[in-house]
Amino acid sequence: MGEISQAAGAGLPSSPSPSSPSPRSACSLVPPVGKGTPRPGRDIAGHLTFPLLSVTLLVSFGSSMLYGYNLAVMNSPAEHIKAFYNATWSQRYGHGLARGPLTLLYALTVSIFALGGLVGSLLVGMLVARYGRNGALSRSALLVLLAGGFMGFSRELGSPEMVIIGRSITGLHSGICLSVVPLYLGEIAPKNLRGFLGLMPSFFICLGVFSAQVLGLPELLGEDRFWPLFLSVVVVPASLQLLLLHCFPESPRYLLIERNDICGATKALHRFLGTPDVQDVIKEMKEEQQSLSSMEMVSVWQLLRDRSVRWQTLSVVVVNAGMQLSGIDAIWFYTNTIFENTGIPVSQIPYTTVGTGAIEIIAGLIGCFTIERVGRRPLIITGFCAMGVCSAGITVSLLLQATLPWMRYVSVACVVGIITGFCMGPAGVPFLMTAELFMQSHRPAAYIVGGSLNWLCNFTVGFIFPFLQMSAGAFCYLVFCGVCLLVALYVYLVIPETKNKTFMEISHIFATRRSVLSIPAHLIGMMKLDGYGTLESSSLAGSGSSLP
């Protein structure tokens, strides 16, 4: 693969110059192209091929689904695990745990998953640079096998510590895959399928949550003696991915832009697109490579200081933090507790939870099959607005259910509304946007920023929510309502639509927006706006302003 030079402060490789000598460069099938923005009329769209669909399903099943499963797996066996902790503590020290310390220990078990995810997200840049996108996913599957062993044998060995360690390792795996899967799919998908394939992992996240809810039923693995198996069943999808993922090529963009391997990129495109005519795609990638020829892969610190991408960076921060602070993790982690507080009989709660999971699946499918028609912005704005309204609805219903017993059904409907709104857009669009808003040189660092914030907020909500619920009661959901509505407003005002656009075209949209800031205010009213809330290039040309 060759040596990798390190960028300052990030451990990311420098982008090779297209003119640098390389034996693999001799395989170029297209002549060099000049710099500049992509031609709008160029058709580099593709169709859904069997290899493209197969690798999408494989990484979504073997990686993304495990994230959803681990989000919900601690819900149904909560009392069994607490009893195990209490019994083990009593055997070791001669007395059981009080309610407060037991709640703290269980909250740590739930939220340590997010701390592991935070560490994993920080390793993404190094892993995708050294092993590639495909290679990073293959190697990360080994972590799941290790975690499954820890959790599966924890009760036999009488060790609560093994449960906590196993949860942290599964979090490490999810932290890596939650960024690498959309990065990989975003780079191998044709522009007209990037939204559909990019939301497929979010559908499998919902499927993972649903699987945990079904397997957690008392008739299956919900009994006390089965909870170690329930936690460790994640080894099955991971093993399948480990066995099959090497059959698929590496990301063509990674091979050409970062490795300068034109032969490898061409073969990968032939396999994924199912056509020998890939010259337009190669040209588009070489244009991006030439635009980055004098630029190294940026570090996180360089990304945060780069004024040319400040709107993209701020957008990634807002949507990724908002996705977790929306309260969805509180709903998934503590669904049973929330339903119990609404007055639903304890014996009926597992089945109510499974019903919400089925709705998640339907909502995820709707998002997948509509994103290329309606675009990214409508899905994410509608999703956050629905979540905000339903969060306020939970507060109102909990306050009134003492006098109006039927309000408990409103609470359940609001929980379903939050989950539905999330799965239709906010579950997957932020990861897709992170890939689409940045060029190759900034993309790994952007995923580190977005992933780190995602997991940090995930840990915060998972750890604090039980105590917030005890102190604020029903009003705790108003915090989530405010966050959801503010994120929806930000997306409406700032983030442009990226549907069916190449990475170079999206970069051009933001470059046009930056140019507007340097135009006198009295000239802006004389210029024509395009469909993204920014000025058209022709208008800028008429004003004498040049694009960077």
Side-chain angles (χ1 to χ4, degrees):
M1 296 287 284
E3 294 294 323
I4 301 175
S5 59
Q6 303 296 324
L12 299 177
S14 60
S15 178
S17 170
S19 61
S20 59
S22 170
R24 291 171 288 190
S25 299
C27 295
S28 175
L29 302 179
V30 293
V33 294
K35 297 183 181 179
T37 58
R39 296 183 297 274
R42 178 186 304 168
D43 181 16
I44 59 174
H47 62 280
L48 186 61
T49 62
F50 181 74
L52 198 56
L53 179 61
S54 298
V55 74
T56 301
L57 294 176
L58 179 62
V59 297
S60 298
F61 175 73
S63 294
S64 301
M65 192 177 77
L66 302 190
Y67 169 67
Y69 186 89
N70 284 305
L71 280 179
V73 74
M74 298 299 291
N75 197 13
S76 61
E79 296 305 318
H80 304 318
I81 295 175
K82 288 179 181 178
F84 166 65
Y85 285 178
N86 205 24
T88 304
W89 193 274
S90 180
Q91 290 175 359
R92 291 181 181 180
Y93 305 106
H95 61 86
L97 284 165
R99 181 170 179 263
L102 183 59
T103 300
L104 180 63
L105 186 59
Y106 183 73
L108 176 63
T109 307
V110 172
S111 55
I112 197 71
F113 173 74
L115 279 185
L118 175 62
V119 175
S121 67
L122 295 174
L123 298 176
V124 166
M126 178 189 69
L127 293 175
V128 297
R130 179 171 298 179
Y131 303 115
R133 284 66 167 145
N134 186 301
L137 289 174
S138 297
R139 288 165 174 80
S140 66
L142 297 172
L143 295 172
V144 181
L145 306 185
L146 180 63
F150 272 105
M151 295 185 293
F153 293 102
S154 58
R155 188 171 63 178
E156 294 297 324
L157 299 176
S159 174
E161 296 84 358
M162 292 179 67
V163 180
I164 297 174
I165 292 172
R167 284 283 293 173
S168 66
I169 296 175
T170 57
L172 181 66
H173 168 264
S174 293
I176 295 170
C177 295
L178 205 59
S179 293
V180 180
V181 169
L183 176 62
Y184 183 44
L185 297 182
E187 290 184 352
I188 67 174
K191 66 177 184 178
N192 60 310
L193 294 174
R194 201 165 56 225
F196 171 71
L197 297 182
L199 275 196
M200 192 65 72
S202 70
F203 166 72
F204 272 84
I205 291 173
C206 298
L207 186 61
V209 173
F210 180 67
S211 302
Q213 293 166 344
V214 171
L215 291 177
L217 291 174
E219 294 83 356
L220 297 176
L221 300 180
E223 295 184 8
D224 178 60
R225 60 196 177 104
F226 288 135
W227 69 259
L229 176 62
F230 185 35
L231 297 184
S232 58
V233 75
V234 291
V235 301
V236 176
S239 299
L240 185 64
Q241 177 178 289
L242 189 62
L243 289 173
L244 298 180
L245 189 55
H246 71 277
C247 300
F248 296 94
E250 182 54 80
S251 160
R253 303 188 76 87
Y254 168 78
L255 292 173
L256 193 150
I257 297 177
E258 295 188 34
R259 294 296 187 182
N260 207 27
D261 184 1
I262 299 179
C263 276
T266 303
K267 292 177 182 177
L269 287 171
H270 288 165
R271 178 85 183 278
F272 283 132
L273 300 183
T275 175
D277 184 16
V278 296
Q279 290 193 1
D280 284 341
V281 187
I282 292 288
K283 285 180 181 179
E284 187 266 329
M285 288 193 291
K286 287 182 70 68
E287 283 182 356
E288 183 175 345
Q289 185 190 42
Q290 286 196 347
S291 71
L292 302 174
S293 59
S294 60
M295 181 185 302
E296 293 183 336
M297 299 291 286
V298 303
S299 67
V300 172
W301 179 243
Q302 289 169 331
L303 174 71
L304 297 177
R305 296 184 60 188
D306 190 346
R307 295 178 60 85
S308 67
V309 293
R310 62 185 180 273
W311 282 111
Q312 293 98 310
T313 304
L314 181 60
S315 298
V316 166
V317 168
V318 170
V319 296
N320 279 278
M323 179 173 62
Q324 298 299 337
L325 295 179
S326 65
I328 188 61
D329 288 316
I331 298 294
W332 274 338
F333 286 155
Y334 303 102
T335 304
N336 287 9
T337 303
I338 293 171
F339 284 160
E340 187 176 345
N341 290 340
T342 63
I344 296 176
V346 176
S347 61
Q348 300 299 316
I349 286 177
Y351 305 98
T352 307
T353 303
V354 169
T356 64
I359 294 173
E360 293 170 22
I361 300 296
I362 296 172
L365 283 174
I366 292 174
C368 284
F369 287 102
T370 59
I371 188 169
E372 293 299 353
R373 289 181 176 271
V374 302
R376 284 71 161 144
R377 276 166 49 90
L379 283 182
I380 196 169
I381 291 173
T382 303
F384 274 117
C385 287
M387 294 176 73
V389 172
C390 290
S391 295
I394 291 180
T395 296
V396 173
S397 61
L398 289 177
L399 291 175
L400 297 179
Q401 72 180 17
T403 55
L404 300 173
W406 56 269
M407 290 298 289
R408 70 179 61 178
Y409 302 108
V410 176
S411 296
V412 175
C414 288
V415 170
V416 171
I418 290 173
I419 294 173
T420 302
F422 180 77
C423 291
M424 285 185 63
V429 174
F431 300 112
L432 177 61
M433 280 186 170
T434 304
E436 291 184 329
L437 297 185
F438 291 92
M439 301 289 282
Q440 192 82 8
S441 59
H442 293 70
R443 201 171 293 132
Y447 268 106
I448 293 175
V449 171
S452 301
L453 276 172
N454 193 304
W455 286 102
L456 190 60
C457 295
N458 183 305
F459 172 79
T460 302
V461 172
F463 190 78
I464 291 178
F465 179 73
F467 304 100
L468 179 65
Q469 193 177 39
M470 285 190 291
S471 60
F475 293 100
C476 66
Y477 298 98
L478 292 180
V479 177
F480 303 137
C481 171
V483 170
C484 291
L485 296 181
L486 287 175
V487 174
L489 180 63
Y490 177 88
V491 174
Y492 177 77
L493 294 176
V494 175
I495 300 181
E497 181 57 71
T498 57
K499 180 182 71 173
N500 204 29
K501 291 199 162 27
T502 67
F503 295 121
M504 288 290 286
E505 288 169 341
I506 295 168
S507 177
H508 176 62
I509 292 172
F510 278 98
T512 305
R513 172 170 293 176
R514 291 196 304 273
S515 297
V516 174
L517 301 179
S518 62
I519 301 174
H522 69 278
L523 291 179
I524 294 181
M526 301 168 58
M527 299 177 184
K528 183 180 178 183
L529 294 176
D530 64 14
Y532 305 96
T534 57
L535 297 182
E536 289 185 346
S537 302
S538 58
S539 297
L540 290 172
S543 68
S545 176
S546 59
L547 292 176

